[in-house]
Amino acid sequence: MWAEYVDPGEPGAVKWWHMVREGDGNVAMCGKEMGDGVERRSDREWGNTAEPSCHTCGAMYLREVPYRAAA
Ligand SMILES: [Zn+2]
């Protein structure tokens, strides 16, 4: 998860969290080019942040990551 800031030039308030695949450089799954040096978090935190997550990245992510088996 990479942060998109409200003000791209200024790290601080996060506007959206995007998902970036390993090996995709700085391009998020939705196609957005992410800034250098932005805050990053584990994909495990997807949906558990105070700030919203990118809907397009979320849809792509759910298609690629298998569901955890229902217990
Ligand atoms: Zn995105």
Side-chain angles (χ1 to χ4, degrees):
M1 288 168 45
W2 290 34
E4 176 187 350
Y5 297 123
V6 173
D7 178 351
E10 187 150 332
V14 175
K15 184 177 178 187
W16 297 102
W17 288 101
H18 293 266
M19 197 68 82
V20 180
R21 288 189 198 90
E22 303 259 347
D24 272 3
N26 67 334
V27 180
M29 292 175 98
C30 65
K32 183 173 179 60
E33 201 169 307
M34 304 301 295
D36 289 324
V38 297
E39 185 181 347
R40 299 184 199 181
R41 299 234 186 123
S42 162
D43 63 340
R44 294 285 173 200
E45 292 189 53
W46 189 260
N48 292 310
T49 53
E51 306 85 7
S53 301
C54 169
H55 298 158
T56 306
C57 281
M60 300 284 288
Y61 181 68
L62 286 175
R63 284 181 58 173
E64 293 193 8
V65 177
Y67 285 93
R68 207 178 304 164

